[in-house]
Amino acid sequence: KKLNYDKKNFCLSCNSEDLYEIQKYRGSSNIFTNKRLLICNDCRLVFIHPPPLRIDIENYNKNYFLNAHKYQIESFHIKIYNSALSKVRVNFVIENVPSIKKNHQVLEIGPGYGHFMKNWLEYFPNASYYIDETDEKVINLLKTNKSLLFSTKLNKKIIDLVIISHVLEHTIDPAAFLLSKTKFLKK
């Protein structure tokens, strides 16, 4: 339904006021109580309104998989689904970014359990792969991959490609988030 506009109703990404309510937010965490899911008719971003406090969302994201999905280790069926989905996403990037070289540098924001990374590195084993993840337990699982690099090691504009999928909806200020996460991109 179209919203009755007031100064508080604007898109977090493009500042448009052309917003529609999709539904009441059904998340089980108390930081989402009395929230709504909105979609921007201009940029199509779906986001929670009103947004939770920054400190609350940061704490929530530190244990995202446990908070959002009530599990920490993926079940067999979820692993199969996520692996298949990541193969589709890898193929999409390969088909739509033809300039990718064999020895490029990738930064993935929010890799979760690393399905996309695994499939990407099967296609491009010489790529340098950096990650930026907030879920502390997932980070510990990913650290077992010795070839993986962490974004904290970045200090120059060396990144050829940034992968962000299903992440912006977990941020309070998507535009500022994107600027901060793409600062290491080559020109």
Side-chain angles (χ1 to χ4, degrees):
K1 69 181 181 181
K2 190 153 175 104
L3 298 173
N4 294 322
Y5 298 124
D6 61 27
K7 295 291 181 196
K8 296 177 186 169
N9 289 331
F10 59 89
C11 176
L12 298 175
S13 178
C14 72
N15 292 320
S16 171
E17 293 183 353
D18 193 3
L19 307 175
Y20 292 85
E21 182 175 328
I22 298 172
Q23 66 188 36
K24 299 252 185 257
Y25 192 80
R26 297 186 301 230
S28 60
S29 172
N30 63 355
I31 71 168
F32 301 119
T33 303
N34 298 321
K35 308 286 186 192
R36 303 170 292 159
L37 279 180
L38 304 184
I39 187 167
C40 174
N41 201 40
D42 291 331
C43 74
R44 308 306 292 164
L45 179 72
V46 175
F47 59 97
I48 299 167
H49 187 77
L53 296 174
R54 184 177 306 276
I55 189 70
D56 290 339
I57 201 75
E58 286 171 357
N59 287 331
Y60 179 82
N61 286 338
K62 283 181 183 175
N63 286 298
Y64 170 74
F65 287 94
L66 182 62
N67 288 328
H69 303 292
K70 303 295 182 227
Y71 60 84
Q72 197 55 48
I73 302 298
E74 291 179 303
S75 71
F76 174 74
H77 293 91
I78 296 294
K79 280 183 182 177
I80 290 172
Y81 171 80
N82 286 333
S83 180
L85 182 60
S86 71
K87 286 180 183 180
V88 170
R89 290 177 175 162
V90 166
N91 287 328
F92 177 84
V93 175
I94 290 170
E95 290 171 10
N96 290 284
V97 185
S99 62
I100 293 295
K101 301 174 286 222
K102 292 186 188 269
N103 59 345
H104 57 274
Q105 312 239 9
V106 177
L107 170 60
E108 184 178 1
I109 311 299
Y113 292 102
H115 295 288
F116 185 94
M117 172 188 62
K118 178 183 175 286
N119 286 298
W120 187 266
L121 292 173
E122 285 176 6
Y123 278 96
F124 301 105
N126 295 325
S128 295
Y129 208 95
Y130 293 85
I131 64 155
D132 187 330
E133 173 62 60
T134 59
D135 190 308
E136 294 167 350
K137 291 185 179 171
V138 173
I139 289 170
N140 289 332
L141 292 172
L142 292 172
K143 281 183 179 176
T144 61
N145 182 338
K146 300 299 181 199
S147 65
L148 189 61
L149 304 164
F150 288 84
S151 63
T152 54
K153 303 220 184 272
L154 289 171
N155 59 11
K156 296 179 191 168
K157 292 184 181 266
I158 63 167
I159 299 298
D160 297 298
L161 180 67
V162 176
I163 304 293
I164 303 174
S165 180
H166 291 270
V167 171
L168 288 181
E169 68 269 23
H170 302 280
T171 66
I172 300 296
D173 186 347
F177 178 84
L178 283 173
L179 283 173
S180 74
K181 299 303 181 182
T182 57
K183 65 185 176 188
F184 299 110
L185 268 173
K186 291 178 184 174
K187 290 198 185 253

